[in-house]
């Protein structure tokens, strides 16, 4: 890799403006003087007062894209620098990832040149060592199980079997389940000793399968003796979870024999606390290759989660191939200086794209199904559609005033218009293709963060509201979502969405599942309205949140500081009245990708909090133990 020709360094200071100010310095490390240029950087800390900058001219902003020019006549010589300040910020910077995420120069010739970006510094502060997020932990029972089982009455043995192998007489399906478990383990732990074999071994222990309809769905029973293990189950998922527990036990005993043991007597009787045990991934802000998606699904299955919520569209890109509208995955994914969508959230001079073909989707769905994971696709509507509207401009009301409203992320006029007839034809065609790709019971339609004031400058929307006798953004959103639910019902699918789906009158509660993300109380309110609810509050289960208050900690902070101990200890049922608890379907982790510019950031923020949520989803409250969890979770695989 060539050394950087230009570097942008920045500092945030708490004074200089209502929300503090940035000081940026561009260093010219090239062999030529620099003049007649502009500088672009992307940042989640946006400029809202374009005049509040010093030694620079603000040129334009589009959400997180910012462009500035130096004063006329400025030349930055070889080895010299240019410094400017920005104080008209929409919020203070609280963490190192609140600064510039990427940058580039547009030269006088029109050429775009990458600029290296340094970490954001806080004026007057020294970078402290990262905090210790996990204690060493303590084990009452020396077993490497995650999540911890519902009931365990097993005794540790001395040593461990080399492998576990199917006993004589097991069925073809049981043999195939062991083979699947072998492949699953090998993908997660490429250099570790695989715990299973299809062939018998004198150094191993036989595994007898027992189909037992009396065992609850997804549950299993393991019984250990010195010469045999029996695995009882009632369905394929329970059999898989039993095999996964055996793999965890043997892997722990082999990799850390001084800490973990393998049982030689007793039982493990297990089953999940909740039916919905989810993990969400936002692939719009950052694109994840198919290999990364399938590895995350492998990790989800290892943790006995059963839902992969795939967030496939947002303002920044539409990632799902829809053959009826090829522009969605050409114009709707390309971000770059001269592309239909400007750089956002880490993009620079080089264009970036990426989408999932329908063949990719089929392979990922099949992979997940083989591990008892259901893929729930999400296309986010009506808000969060800046990329969609760039790709399919026929979806706009051509008479609507531009920039008549902005989303909370700073996007102008980014919501599909309920009064444009083509909106419904477009979505009918999209859903027709989605139901062929995704056999899931639910399709998630988003429904979140539509800006109050959306569509009110649209003549078509005004006319529709008059005809329907409704007023305001959220009543119009409710009208729109009711039509969407009818589309899904006609296709044999149920509607899932974020908690704002209930705004403005919402949609019918029957066969509707809503995710409470804004705060824990929202879930109780939705349950009172008759909705089934999945709890995924940002204050505990959003894995992009910072884990400590120190400035150098990466991540978002709008929901506060979320250390692993808080995520683990949080009880999603909270203050749910007893009569409403049956409305709570389960819990879900959410991986929003604005801050995940590297695998290092991903793993630092997602783990160990994803395993913590998995334990909250599976393990009974009375059986949870933070010290035990901390002792076991370092064995978890990461991306």
């Amino acid at each position: 890799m060539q050394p950087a020709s230009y570097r942008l360094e920045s500092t945030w200071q708490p004074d200089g403006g209502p929300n503090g100010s940035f000081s940026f310095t561009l260093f010219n490390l090239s062999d030529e003087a620099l003049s007649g240029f502009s500088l672009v950087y992307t940042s989640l800390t946006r400029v809202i007062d374009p005049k509040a900058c010093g030694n620079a001219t603000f040129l334009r902003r589009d959400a997180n894209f910012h462009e500035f020019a130096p004063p006329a006549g400025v030349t930055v010589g070889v080895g010299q620098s240019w410094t400017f300040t920005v104080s008209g910020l929409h919020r203070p910077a609280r963490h190192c990832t609140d600064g510039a995420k990427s940058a580039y120069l547009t030269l006088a010739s029109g050429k775009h040149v990458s600029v290296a970006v340094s970490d954001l510094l806080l004026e007057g502060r020294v970078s402290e060592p990262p905090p210790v997020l996990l204690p060493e932990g303590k084990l009452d029972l020396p077993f490497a199980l995650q999540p911890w089982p519902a009931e365990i009455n097993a005794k540790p043995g001395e040593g461990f079997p080399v492998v576990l192998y199917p006993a004589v007489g097991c069925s073809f399906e049981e043999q195939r389940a062991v083979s699947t478990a072998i492949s699953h383990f090998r993908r997660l732990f490429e250099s570790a000793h695989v715990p299973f074999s299809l062939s018998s071994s004198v150094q191993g222990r036989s595994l007898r399968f027992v189909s037992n309809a009396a065992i609850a769905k997804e549950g299993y029973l393991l019984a250990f003796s010195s010469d045999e293990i029996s695995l009882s189950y009632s369905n394929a998922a329970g059999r898989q979870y039993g095999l996964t527990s055996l793999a965890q036990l043997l892997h722990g005993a082999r990799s850390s024999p001084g800490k973990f043991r393998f049982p030689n007597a007793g039982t493990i009787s297990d089953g999940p606390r909740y039916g919905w045990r989810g993990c969400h991934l936002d692939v719009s802000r950052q694109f994840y290759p198919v290999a990364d998606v399938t590895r995350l699904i492998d990790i989800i299955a290892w943790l006995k989660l059963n839902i992969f919520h795939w967030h496939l569209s947002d303002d920044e890109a539409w990632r799902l191939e829809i053959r009826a509208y090829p522009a969605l995955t050409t114009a709707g994914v390309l971000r770059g200086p001269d592309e239909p969508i400007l750089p956002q959230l880490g993009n620079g001079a080089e264009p970036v794209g990426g989408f999932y073909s329908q063949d990719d989707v089929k392979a990922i769905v099949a992979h997940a199904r083989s591990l008892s994971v259901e893929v729930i696709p999400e296309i986010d509507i009506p808000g969060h559609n800046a990329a969609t509207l760039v790709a399919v401009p026929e979806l706009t009301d051509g008479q609507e005033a531009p920039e008549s409203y902005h989303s909370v992320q700073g996007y102008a006029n980014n919501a599909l218009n309920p009064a444009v007839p083509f909106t419904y034809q477009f979505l009918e065609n999209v859903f027709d293709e989605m139901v062929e790709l995704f056999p899931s019971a639910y399709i998630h339609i988003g429904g979140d963060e539509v800006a109050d004031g959306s569509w009110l400058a649209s003549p078509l929307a005004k006319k529709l509201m008059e005809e329907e006798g409704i007023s305001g953004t959220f009543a119009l959103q409710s009208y729109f979502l009711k039509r969407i639910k009818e589309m899904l019902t006609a296709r044999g699918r149920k509607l899932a969405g974020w908690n704002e789906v209930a705004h403005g009158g919402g949609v019918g509660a029957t066969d509707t599942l809503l995710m409470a993300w804004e705060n824990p109380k929202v879930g109780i309110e939705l349950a009172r309205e008759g909705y089934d609810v999945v709890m995924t509050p940002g204050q505990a289960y959003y894995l992009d949140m910072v884990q400590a208050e120190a400035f150098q900690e990466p991540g978002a902070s709008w929901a506060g500081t979320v250390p692993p101990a808080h995520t683990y200890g949080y009880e999603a049922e909270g203050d749910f009245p007893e009569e409403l608890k049956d409305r709570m379907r389960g819990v879900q982790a959410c991986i929003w990708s604005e801050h995940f510019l590297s695998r290092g950031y991903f793993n630092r923020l997602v783990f160990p909090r994803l395993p913590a949520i998995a334990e909250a989803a599976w393990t009974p409250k009375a059986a949870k133990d933070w010290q035990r969890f901390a002792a076991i979770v370092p064995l978890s695989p990461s991306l």
Side-chain angles (χ1 to χ4, degrees), residues 53-342:
C53 57
N55 201 33
T57 299
F58 175 89
L59 298 180
R60 56 177 173 156
R61 177 177 72 79
D62 180 24
N64 308 294
F65 169 100
H66 301 76
E67 186 169 16
F68 291 85
V74 165
T75 296
V76 184
V78 174
Q80 295 181 344
S81 62
W82 162 54
T83 296
F84 67 101
T85 59
V86 177
S87 58
L89 307 176
H90 87 293
R91 67 180 181 192
R94 294 187 174 92
H95 294 275
C96 62
T97 43
D98 287 337
K101 293 187 176 298
S102 60
Y104 67 89
L105 297 175
T106 299
L107 305 181
S109 64
K111 181 181 178 181
H112 308 293
V113 181
S114 296
V115 173
V117 174
S118 296
D119 288 346
L120 177 66
L121 300 178
L122 173 62
E123 187 176 80
R125 284 278 295 277
V126 175
S127 180
E128 305 94 344
V132 175
L133 297 173
L134 280 174
E136 184 177 341
K138 180 181 178 183
L139 292 168
D140 292 328
L141 289 172
F143 300 132
L145 287 165
Q146 52 178 344
W148 196 251
E151 295 180 26
I152 182 166
N153 185 26
K155 293 180 170 48
E158 296 299 326
F160 50 83
V162 171
V163 291
L164 309 177
Y165 59 88
V168 173
C170 77
S171 70
F172 170 70
E173 286 301 323
E174 290 161 345
Q175 274 192 318
R176 194 154 65 175
V178 173
S179 179
T180 297
I182 291 171
S183 298
H184 185 206
F185 183 89
R186 170 57 69 227
R187 291 192 300 270
L188 289 174
F189 304 99
E190 293 178 346
S191 63
H193 190 288
V194 177
F196 301 109
S197 169
L198 293 180
S199 301
S200 62
S201 169
V202 295
Q203 294 177 290
R205 197 174 300 178
S206 67
L207 174 60
R208 182 169 55 89
F209 292 92
V210 180
S211 178
N212 183 350
I215 292 176
K217 178 184 175 182
E218 297 189 292
Y220 64 91
L221 173 65
L222 291 171
F224 297 89
S225 70
S226 58
D227 59 354
E228 183 184 74
I229 300 166
S230 72
L231 167 53
S232 301
Y233 64 94
S234 64
N235 70 351
R239 180 178 60 204
Q240 176 199 312
Y241 296 144
L243 288 169
T244 300
S245 289
L246 289 171
Q248 291 174 351
L249 286 164
L250 192 47
H251 177 56
R254 180 177 282 119
S255 60
S256 301
K259 187 175 183 181
F260 300 112
R261 311 263 287 281
F262 191 82
N264 72 345
T267 61
I268 297 174
S269 178
D270 202 7
R273 182 180 183 184
Y274 297 119
W276 187 290
R277 306 181 304 280
C279 178
H280 151 290
L281 180 66
D282 159 26
V283 298
S284 178
R285 277 57 180 264
Q286 313 295 342
F287 180 71
Y288 295 79
V290 169
D292 285 356
V293 175
T294 53
R295 181 167 178 86
L296 180 61
I297 290 171
D298 282 339
I299 294 168
I300 287 170
W302 182 254
L303 298 171
K304 302 186 179 77
L305 298 169
N306 65 347
I307 299 291
F308 175 55
H309 174 176
W310 202 2
H311 185 84
L312 287 160
S313 74
D314 215 296
D315 289 306
E316 290 79 7
W318 178 292
R319 302 293 190 188
L320 174 64
E321 180 189 17
I322 299 295
R323 290 171 177 166
Y325 303 105
L328 288 171
T329 45
T330 54
V333 299
L334 281 175
R335 301 201 297 251
D338 300 315
E339 300 301 336
I341 305 172
L342 290 171

